[in-house]
């Protein structure tokens, strides 16, 4: 009986689909930065993740990096207002930006997003933003402020999160409605950390951005 159980376990491991093997297996927490001086050196490439509180940002990061509790670090009391840097591979970073409610983006830009955030924006390493938006809410005009925040060379990719809470028709409608708001400046996809929907697509995008050199940046 015991022997049988072991054989069953080994078979299950051998048949583990490739997507279950982390594409970012070297991922590790680097630092919670409270000031630009604490940022990692501005070399290589990094992608920032941003979203209002409860948008599903932490779950999305964990699903994409395939590390169950990586982004939990960012939720540690005292770190929620900081920029949390993770290294996905040598000189390849993910930056978890503070969660917030951006009902009034200009105000957020002026006050709650102080020089810390501006310093991130102007880093040579920054390739772009992943914006996490609850798909039940959809993109709102306030989200457009984020498109204004990024520099022209930066890419923006919107994850319409918690898509498992919508039926097929609703999900398609949310995706369609997002297109005009992004006005060719950004891409969008449906995403569910719970069901795994869109995880591979998000990983592909993140990997492609992190792989691109500075010269390719505006392309
Ligand atoms: P954050 O505050 O933006 O980092 O959001 P969290 O990742 O902590 O998620 C907020 C809430 O949404 C939690 O209760 C999660 O369990 C839930 N959530 C996150 N992702 C999904 C998802 O893909 N599907 C569903 N149904 N719930 C989700």
């Amino acid at each position: 009986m015991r022997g049988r159980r072991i054989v069953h376990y080994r078979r299950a491991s051998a048949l583990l689909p490739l997507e279950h093997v982390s594409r970012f297996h070297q991922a590790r927490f680097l630092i919670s930065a409270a000031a630009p001086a604490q940022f990692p050196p501005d070399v290589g490439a990094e992608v920032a993740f941003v979203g209002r509180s409860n948008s599903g940002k932490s779950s999305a990061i964990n699903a994409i990096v395939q590390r169950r509790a990586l982004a939990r670090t960012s939720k540690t009391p005292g770190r929620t207002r900081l920029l949390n840097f993770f290294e996905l591979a040598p000189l390849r970073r993910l930056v978890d930006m503070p969660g917030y409610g951006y009902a009034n983006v200009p105000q957020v830009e002026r006050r709650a997003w102080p020089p810390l955030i501006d310093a991130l924006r102007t880093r040579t390493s920054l390739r772009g933003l992943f914006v996490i938006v609850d798909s039940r809410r959809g993109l709102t005009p306030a989200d457009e402020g984020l498109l204004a925040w990024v520099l022209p060379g930066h890419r923006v990719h919107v994850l319409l999160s918690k898509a498992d809470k919508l039926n097929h028709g609703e999900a398609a409608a949310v995706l369609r409605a997002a297109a005009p708001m992004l006005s060719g400046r950004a891409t969008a996809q449906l995403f569910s950390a719970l069901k795994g929907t869109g995880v591979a697509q998000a990983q592909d995008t993140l990997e492609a951005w992190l792989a691109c050199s500075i010269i390719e940046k505006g392309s």
Side-chain angles (χ1 to χ4, degrees):
M1 185 64 189
R2 194 192 286 167
R4 257 191 214 159
R5 271 202 196 129
I6 291 168
V7 169
H8 176 73
Y9 170 77
R10 281 189 181 149
R11 273 195 194 142
S13 304
L15 294 174
L16 205 62
L18 262 185
E19 64 263 28
H20 286 202
V21 178
S22 175
R23 290 157 75 168
F24 304 104
H25 62 276
Q26 292 176 292
R28 68 186 178 103
F29 170 72
L30 278 180
I31 191 167
S32 289
Q38 296 173 325
F39 289 178
D42 188 9
V43 287
E46 63 198 16
V47 173
F49 278 58
V50 64
R52 65 172 74 223
S53 303
N54 214 38
S55 63
K57 176 165 61 82
S58 306
S59 304
I61 292 173
N62 290 334
I64 290 168
V65 179
Q66 289 172 287
R67 293 286 289 276
R68 202 163 281 219
L70 196 69
R72 194 186 296 158
T73 314
S74 313
K75 294 209 158 182
T76 309
R79 283 183 174 165
T80 53
R81 300 302 307 161
L82 307 176
L83 284 184
N84 296 289
F85 287 83
F86 299 90
E87 185 181 76
L88 300 184
L91 301 183
R92 300 287 180 258
R93 292 174 300 276
L94 184 158
V95 191
D96 188 358
M97 290 171 71
Y100 53 88
Y102 46 88
N104 183 341
V105 170
Q107 187 187 2
V108 167
E109 281 177 353
R110 278 200 306 273
R111 298 223 312 266
W113 284 13
L116 185 69
I117 306 289
D118 239 28
L120 175 73
R121 180 167 77 139
T122 51
R123 271 162 74 83
T124 305
S125 314
L126 190 69
R127 294 290 178 267
L129 275 189
F130 269 49
V131 181
I132 293 78
V133 176
D134 190 323
S135 59
R136 290 167 302 174
R137 183 185 282 266
L139 267 175
T140 65
D143 297 310
E144 291 180 274
L146 284 167
L147 299 182
W149 179 77
V150 297
L151 297 177
H154 293 148
R155 295 168 168 90
V156 178
H157 188 60
V158 178
L159 300 183
L160 296 162
S161 65
K162 309 186 194 180
D164 55 277
K165 296 201 177 199
L166 302 179
N167 66 34
H168 193 70
E170 291 168 336
V174 166
L175 192 56
R176 247 191 338 266
M181 301 192 79
L182 302 173
S183 55
R185 290 212 46 210
T187 47
Q189 64 157 103
L190 293 164
F191 188 90
S192 166
L194 191 71
K195 300 280 184 189
T197 313
V199 171
Q201 186 184 347
Q203 289 171 327
D204 289 346
T205 303
L206 179 61
E207 273 185 340
W209 289 8
L210 288 175
C212 81
S213 70
I214 293 162
I215 295 151
E216 292 167 274
K217 195 170 164 181
S219 63

